[in-house]
Amino acid sequence: MRLFLKRLGKRELATSFVFVLFIILFILPFVTIGMKSVSEGWRWPALFPNELSLDAWRSIMKDPSLIESIVTTFKIALLVVILNILLAIPAARALSHYTFKGKSIIEGLLLSPILIPGILLAMGLQFTMIQFDLADKMIGVVIVHLIPTLPYAIRVMRAGYERMGSSLNEQAAVLGAGPLTRFLTVALPLLLPSIRSLMLLTFVISLGQYALTAIIGGGTVITLPLLYYPYFSSSNEAVIAGFSILFALLPLLFIGLVEVMLRLVIRAVNRV
Amino acid sequence: MNGRIGLLSNKWKLRLYLLPAIAVTLLLVGHGMWSAVAQSFQTIDGEWTIATYAELFSNHAFFHSLKLTFRVAVLSTLLSLVIGLVMTRMLYELFKDSTLKILVWIPMLIPHFVAGYLVFLFFSQSGLFSSLLYQVGVLESRGNFPVLVQEKFGLGIILTYIWKEVPFVILMLLPVYYEIDHRYSEVVRTLGGSKWDVFKTVELPWILPILIETAVILLAFVASAFEIPYLLGVTRPEMLPVRAYEWFYDGDWSKRPLAFSAMLLPGVLALLLATFSIGAVQKHRLRMIKGRNR
């Protein structure tokens, strides 16, 4: 062991220390929650559960409002992601490839939704949403979820466009590729990592909204977070743990779906 | 790309690209903000008045909430930045071409309130650390474990934000660290500079703009987020967003203007802060670009 430590330089030692710290901080908590969700009567001061049971998962799955809320949550998040892609890609392209008058004002405007409290905007919008019959509906919740997501989406896509540069695109244009072919064969493949980050980020942000959903959804649009809070104040810890696991699984499920779809799209594009 | 490629001139293409995002933002932010300001100055019957602000500023609960919100926002932002910066410096080479970067993404996958539950699970009086200390023999009963979660200072809230935001800081800083020309660091070192000199003269000028941007985003986020304080805060003093939410949903509709005015204050503060700091950074950036060209 000492020989091993000696052979490692100071830098490697520091790196591996931080690496272990990462695992302790970011992975161990989930192992613990996972254990908690299948434990029974794991109370202070026990360090490990003395009995395992699937009761918590059974009672979660028995809750009829749960399945419904998962579907609602997923639908809302999916729409939020799609809208973000449609809005952010062209805006990011404009911001990264062009200089124009008033650019910094427009940049500031597009960033402003993360600086102004979302809860204030949602409260302000509630009355208008009611007038236009969007309140208490999924579509209203989707719209209000754009507040915390769109600035991040534009930022991520902009970084992607800046990394890509414009030379490849120009070359394709010189060789006679039309705008659509250029986008599908040059920009899209190079932007894929950014699009993945965008999808993941906006999905997770939408998944984590309680206040905005509650204000605009008015208690008729029930997403997963709205069920989580009442469970948290109940005392069944295994059920809360199971719920938390669900929250971690949903983005993973979403990434899986997206990966499969992206592969299909890429294959289709390559055939063209 | 100068000149014309494709059907539309660049000027029109630009407008077409930006229009949807700008329209949506204006509708949400512009209209939301206007409506919030208007409702903060109106009574329930639609009469214009500044009585709400007078009531707010004579409200002790409001000032306690404001103080708590300010403390939590500043502490969690500063600590996240420092920890994130140190970790980025140690790890950027390791992350360069490796799949380990996924580790940083893990906390990003978790909604904030689940992170709050994690902090509760580990740090509450009947949590796992308390159990561990009891098993080791340090604690006699769980009452001896310090109250870290759901207390007045907001420690649990700060801890949660640090856990969630450090990865965000790392992900913001990593690309900049790859951009830094590390030959400059070698120059400083050959000239006898210490590690701190390297950081101060080479790295800081590069990362300062992104550091400030990150700080503004985090400050604004923590000061206005509802989810974690609702889960881990105490009933009094509660953080501003919780206070505002409760005023908004109070059975008594006359409290609604209070909810608007209470949240407008941090909103305006965040906007001013952002305008000033980004303006200052812009100057700094220009100087850097000029310096590079010389």
Side-chain angles (χ1 to χ4, degrees):
Chain A
M1 186 68 195
R2 253 176 100 188
L3 211 117
F4 175 69
L5 283 180
K6 238 186 213 163
R7 227 190 278 158
L8 286 170
K10 214 169 137 197
R11 173 136 210 121
E12 280 89 359
L13 206 67
T15 315
S16 36
F17 170 74
V18 176
F19 180 58
V20 172
L21 198 73
F22 258 85
I23 295 203
I24 293 176
L25 280 176
F26 296 151
I27 298 191
L28 209 64
F30 295 103
V31 179
T32 317
I33 297 193
M35 243 159 54
K36 191 115 195 161
S37 76
V38 292
S39 70
E40 201 181 310
W42 179 6
R43 303 219 177 280
W44 193 88
L47 273 182
F48 294 97
N50 38 8
E51 222 179 300
L52 297 181
S53 96
L54 285 173
D55 278 359
W57 283 102
R58 259 180 232 124
S59 68
I60 288 177
M61 289 308 159
K62 243 189 260 160
D63 192 335
S65 55
L66 184 95
I67 307 293
E68 211 184 309
S69 80
I70 288 183
V71 174
T72 313
T73 311
F74 214 90
K75 270 190 201 158
I76 290 174
L78 196 66
L79 280 173
V80 171
V81 169
I82 291 171
L83 277 178
N84 268 302
I85 290 178
L86 292 179
L87 293 170
I89 287 184
R93 189 181 143 72
L95 288 176
S96 65
H97 282 8
Y98 297 90
T99 45
F100 50 91
K101 230 167 119 187
K103 189 177 176 185
S104 55
I105 295 174
I106 292 197
E107 280 173 317
L109 173 75
L110 291 176
L111 192 74
S112 64
I114 32 178
L115 299 175
I116 300 171
I119 190 172
L120 176 74
L121 296 178
M123 293 187 311
L125 287 169
Q126 194 212 28
F127 192 63
T128 316
M129 292 270 194
I130 292 172
Q131 281 179 324
F132 284 91
D133 203 22
L134 293 167
D136 302 355
K137 289 205 174 112
M138 236 165 67
I139 187 70
V141 175
V142 170
I143 292 171
V144 86
H145 278 194
L146 285 176
I147 294 174
T149 52
L150 188 59
Y152 291 106
I154 292 175
R155 213 185 170 284
V156 168
M157 286 319 296
R158 190 184 171 176
Y161 265 113
E162 270 165 10
R163 242 187 329 233
M164 184 175 77
S166 57
S167 48
L168 277 173
N169 219 350
E170 279 165 14
Q171 189 168 6
V174 169
L175 292 173
L180 188 69
T181 324
R182 259 182 291 153
F183 180 73
L184 287 178
T185 58
V186 181
L188 196 63
L190 288 170
L191 289 174
L192 268 188
S194 307
I195 295 178
R196 271 197 203 105
S197 314
L198 176 151
M199 290 180 165
L200 200 56
L201 203 61
T202 48
F203 186 89
V204 173
I205 295 175
S206 166
L207 187 65
Q209 296 302 324
Y210 174 93
L212 298 192
T213 314
I215 291 171
I216 300 298
T220 19
V221 182
I222 305 289
T223 58
L224 216 41
L226 269 69
L227 292 182
Y228 186 80
Y229 279 81
Y231 267 112
F232 190 80
S233 36
S234 83
S235 56
N236 194 337
E237 290 189 44
V239 173
I240 308 162
F243 241 94
S244 304
I245 297 278
L246 270 183
F247 274 109
L249 285 180
L250 272 185
L252 291 181
L253 183 73
F254 176 71
I255 304 171
L257 281 178
V258 166
E259 264 330 288
V260 171
M261 265 167 51
L262 281 178
R263 294 266 153 85
L264 289 177
V265 169
I266 290 171
R267 202 179 286 169
V269 168
N270 283 346
R271 234 177 257 156
V272 177
Chain B
M1 264 206 252
N2 295 316
R4 248 177 83 159
I5 301 174
L7 295 172
L8 295 164
S9 75
N10 274 343
K11 207 168 146 195
W12 277 101
K13 239 200 265 179
L14 186 69
R15 285 182 191 160
L16 208 67
Y17 283 151
L18 279 171
L19 193 69
I22 291 180
V24 169
T25 310
L26 267 182
L27 219 68
L28 291 174
V29 177
H31 182 76
M33 192 75 177
W34 159 247
S35 154
V37 171
Q39 290 185 63
S40 81
F41 280 108
Q42 280 172 325
T43 60
I44 280 303
D45 312 314
E47 275 170 59
W48 291 79
T49 166
I50 55 159
T52 310
Y53 286 89
E55 194 184 335
L56 191 71
F57 287 125
S58 61
N59 190 324
H60 281 288
F62 169 73
F63 280 105
H64 287 302
S65 295
L66 194 65
K67 219 170 84 186
L68 175 69
T69 308
F70 186 74
R71 181 169 64 215
V72 168
V74 169
L75 278 179
S76 40
T77 302
L78 284 182
L79 288 169
S80 304
L81 281 180
V82 170
I83 298 170
L85 183 59
V86 170
M87 283 188 135
T88 313
R89 288 201 69 214
M90 291 177 99
L91 289 169
Y92 73 95
E93 277 173 43
L94 183 74
F95 280 159
K96 204 157 204 168
D97 24 43
S98 102
T99 43
L100 285 175
K101 221 159 106 182
I102 291 176
L103 280 181
V104 189
W105 270 99
I106 293 175
M108 303 282 284
L109 286 179
I110 307 300
H112 272 88
F113 46 82
V114 176
Y117 168 64
L118 272 174
V119 167
F120 184 81
L121 186 65
F122 280 89
F123 290 96
S124 67
Q125 276 195 315
S126 51
L128 285 168
F129 280 119
S130 160
S131 302
L132 183 71
L133 288 178
Y134 177 83
Q135 299 285 357
V136 179
V138 182
L139 278 187
E140 279 169 19
S141 77
R142 70 176 109 177
N144 294 9
F145 192 78
V147 186
L148 299 174
V149 182
Q150 292 173 332
E151 44 67 63
K152 281 185 175 172
F153 192 81
L155 273 178
I157 304 174
I158 295 172
L159 260 176
T160 312
Y161 280 127
I162 291 175
W163 190 82
K164 260 301 270 181
E165 310 313 354
V166 162
F168 178 72
V169 174
I170 294 178
L171 287 174
M172 293 283 278
L173 286 178
L174 265 183
V176 194
Y177 259 86
Y178 295 135
E179 258 176 44
I180 296 176
D181 190 343
H182 292 281
R183 284 175 304 181
Y184 286 120
S185 322
E186 279 158 33
V187 172
V188 175
R189 252 182 252 132
T190 2
L191 292 175
S194 64
K195 265 187 182 169
W196 174 247
D197 290 325
V198 172
F199 176 73
K200 216 172 57 182
T201 55
V202 182
E203 294 172 15
L204 196 62
W206 279 93
I207 58 172
L208 195 65
I210 205 86
L211 218 51
I212 290 180
E213 190 190 337
T214 314
V216 172
I217 291 177
L218 288 186
L219 270 177
F221 177 80
V222 175
S224 65
F226 170 86
E227 282 77 10
I228 294 180
Y230 190 52
L231 205 64
L232 295 183
V234 283
T235 358
R236 232 139 240 251
E238 64 260 86
M239 288 211 4
L240 267 189
V242 180
R243 176 79 275 177
Y245 185 85
E246 271 163 18
W247 270 331
F248 189 74
Y249 269 124
D250 204 344
D252 177 5
W253 270 51
S254 64
K255 290 261 167 65
R256 282 202 167 192
L258 272 179
F260 286 105
S261 54
M263 280 318 281
L264 266 169
L265 199 70
V268 171
L269 270 178
L271 270 186
L272 285 178
L273 188 71
T275 320
F276 280 122
S277 57
I278 288 168
V281 169
Q282 214 72 31
K283 262 185 218 154
H284 169 92
R285 239 183 197 163
L286 285 179
R287 215 174 56 205
M288 234 172 67
I289 292 166
K290 267 186 206 154
R292 249 196 294 171
N293 286 342
R294 212 182 290 148

